[in-house]
Amino acid sequence: MKISILRSSKGGRRAPAAVALGAVLALTATACGDDGSSGDSGAEGDGKGEIVFWDNNGGVRTEIWKEIIADFEKANPDIDVQYVGIASTEYQSKVDTAIQGGGLPDVGGVSASMLAGFAAQGALDTLDFRLAKSPLNGKLNKDMIESLRAAGGGDDKLYSIPTSANNGVLYYRTDLFEKAGLEEPTTWDRFYEAAEKLTNKGKNEFGYTIRGGAGSIAQALDAMYGQSGITSFWDSSGKKTTVNDPKNVEALEKYAGLFKKATPAADLNNDFTKMVAQWDSGTIGMLNHNLGSYQDHVKALTTEKFRGIPQPTGPGGKRVQVSNPVDGLGLFKSSKNKEAAWKFIEFATSAQSSSKFNESAGQVPAHTDAAKDEWISKAEPTKLAAEALNDGSTTIVQLPYYLPDWNTISKADNEPNFQKVLLGKTSAKEFLDTMAGQLNEAQAEWQEQMG
């Protein structure tokens, strides 16, 4: 079941999140226990036989998963893994349908963004006790573990073992910086200096490209918290968000003020695809995206003309960034062969498999030993991102993926409102106060449901 919130055209709730979540919890309690749905507690099994694995990014990652599965079956000849690749755009609905009607796999991809919905329906086994007894214990990136714990719904339980993170990167044109005599944009002050000095509208040259279309809120939050240095999404009470803290308001004012002053006007409607293509083909100094676009930049510009570095540091030299998408593997509660399923998860997230998977995906490995492998040094943005995540220099602000309303608030409700900020039709304070009100209400409803 998808958790959806009905809203009026003005953004007000017509059916509160508590009602939607309550329906999910009721379904969880009454789900049929013999059809593979969330009411089925499954069994440990004998650690042999067949298990089914659903890949949540089928097609894109199919070949590398088949390679890892072949390695696993060679090491575990008594276990056969049936691979099912599902497109990322269809994965969540397919799992939701299987939770209601049966047919869940033993193991499946479970990222932070979808974890709360699956966990709320009782579909996933908790993995804390398995991890505690595993060689993986103490070897997985702590921030990735924390992101998945936080995304689980507020009970601090671990429902997914991390495989990777697609970390945020500040890409900049080394050739343009050198020509202008600018220092590397490792701090926010240098970032803004470069954005201004690299802009020459008459020549269609701009210092930065800002994301104004789909996906704009996450990037804006990253810029806000990075500059303000605030390290928690909620205040000490856990009831009020820090989104509209005066320091964040000031940071957003400065960031949004770049639009049309140091960015192309087309940025207003640009999603990441258009933004990346524009940066690769033009003369724009800087771009915020993630590791996923690195190879596109290499093809378009060659490594001689750009670098990809971690987000700039803010007050006191601290680097603060919001949580980036963490992917992982979950064990479905209805599995009849949990012992074999866990063996597969353990193998797939081991140092060797983690390295192999992430070299293919171009992402940061969750396994800290894999993060030291040779291939990472050849993909500089991945190397720097891995170092920033593992050396303690970066503080992660955990976004509330667990809220049933999170996707609605961070996308449908506020992407159009952010465009109004860029256009000067709404102030940064008005925008953030509105979003804060929605978040506080959603948090209160969630806390009430959780008791």
Side-chain angles (χ1 to χ4, degrees), residues 41-322:
S41 60
E44 283 297 308
D46 60 3
K48 301 177 181 179
E50 182 179 279
I51 58 171
V52 178
F53 165 54
W54 283 8
D55 174 11
N56 61 340
N57 200 2
V60 177
R61 304 282 180 247
T62 295
E63 291 308 312
I64 188 60
W65 272 122
K66 286 187 173 180
E67 188 175 331
I68 291 170
I69 288 169
D71 292 342
F72 173 76
E73 290 178 338
K74 184 177 180 180
N76 297 270
D78 292 332
I79 303 174
D80 294 319
V81 181
Q82 181 183 336
Y83 170 87
V84 180
I86 302 169
S88 59
T89 54
E90 300 171 5
Y91 187 79
Q92 185 162 350
S93 63
K94 186 171 179 65
V95 173
D96 284 335
T97 299
I99 289 172
Q100 295 177 68
L104 282 167
D106 299 278
V107 178
V110 181
S111 65
S113 61
M114 64 182 72
L115 198 158
F118 298 164
Q121 298 178 76
L124 296 168
D125 245 17
T126 56
L127 300 173
D128 299 89
F129 78 96
R130 297 182 193 274
L131 179 59
K133 299 184 295 182
S134 169
L136 293 172
N137 194 26
K139 288 291 188 177
L140 300 175
N141 182 281
K142 292 179 181 178
D143 286 325
M144 295 189 203
I145 288 281
E146 176 57 28
S147 289
L148 291 174
R149 283 194 191 280
D155 59 6
D156 202 36
K157 293 179 180 177
L158 187 65
Y159 293 98
S160 181
I161 300 297
T163 56
S164 56
N166 198 4
N167 212 52
V169 177
L170 177 61
Y171 293 104
Y172 75 97
R173 289 283 299 270
T174 50
D175 55 341
L176 301 182
F177 269 68
E178 184 178 347
K179 183 179 178 181
L182 289 165
E183 294 183 281
E184 188 174 54
T186 53
T187 68
W188 283 102
D189 287 342
R190 290 181 183 178
F191 167 84
Y192 282 108
E193 179 188 7
E196 179 183 348
K197 290 190 175 180
L198 292 175
T199 298
N200 185 331
K201 294 181 183 179
K203 295 184 178 180
N204 202 34
E205 297 171 353
F206 297 93
Y208 185 58
T209 173
I210 197 168
R211 190 165 181 169
S216 61
I217 302 302
Q219 188 175 96
L221 290 173
D222 219 9
M224 284 163 42
Y225 282 92
Q227 293 173 80
S228 71
I230 295 170
T231 57
S232 175
F233 196 80
W234 303 101
D235 68 7
S236 58
S237 72
K239 296 179 180 179
K240 291 183 64 177
T241 180
T242 57
V243 157
N244 61 336
D245 183 284
K247 292 181 180 178
N248 276 334
V249 173
E250 182 182 358
L252 185 61
E253 285 174 345
K254 191 170 184 179
Y255 181 70
L258 292 173
F259 178 63
K260 290 178 72 174
K261 178 182 175 184
T263 79
D267 282 354
L268 182 68
N269 296 303
N270 279 355
D271 58 11
F272 86 88
T273 305
K274 293 175 183 174
M275 190 173 63
V276 167
Q278 179 177 259
W279 193 71
D280 285 344
S281 62
T283 50
I284 299 174
M286 296 175 290
L287 160 76
N288 272 116
H289 193 234
N290 56 46
L291 294 167
S293 60
Y294 174 65
Q295 292 300 333
D296 292 330
H297 308 321
V298 172
K299 291 175 185 175
L301 301 168
T302 76
T303 56
E304 302 300 315
K305 292 184 179 180
F306 81 97
R307 285 191 78 196
I309 61 175
Q311 296 287 55
T313 57
K318 291 194 304 182
R319 179 181 295 107
V320 177
Q321 65 183 60
V322 300

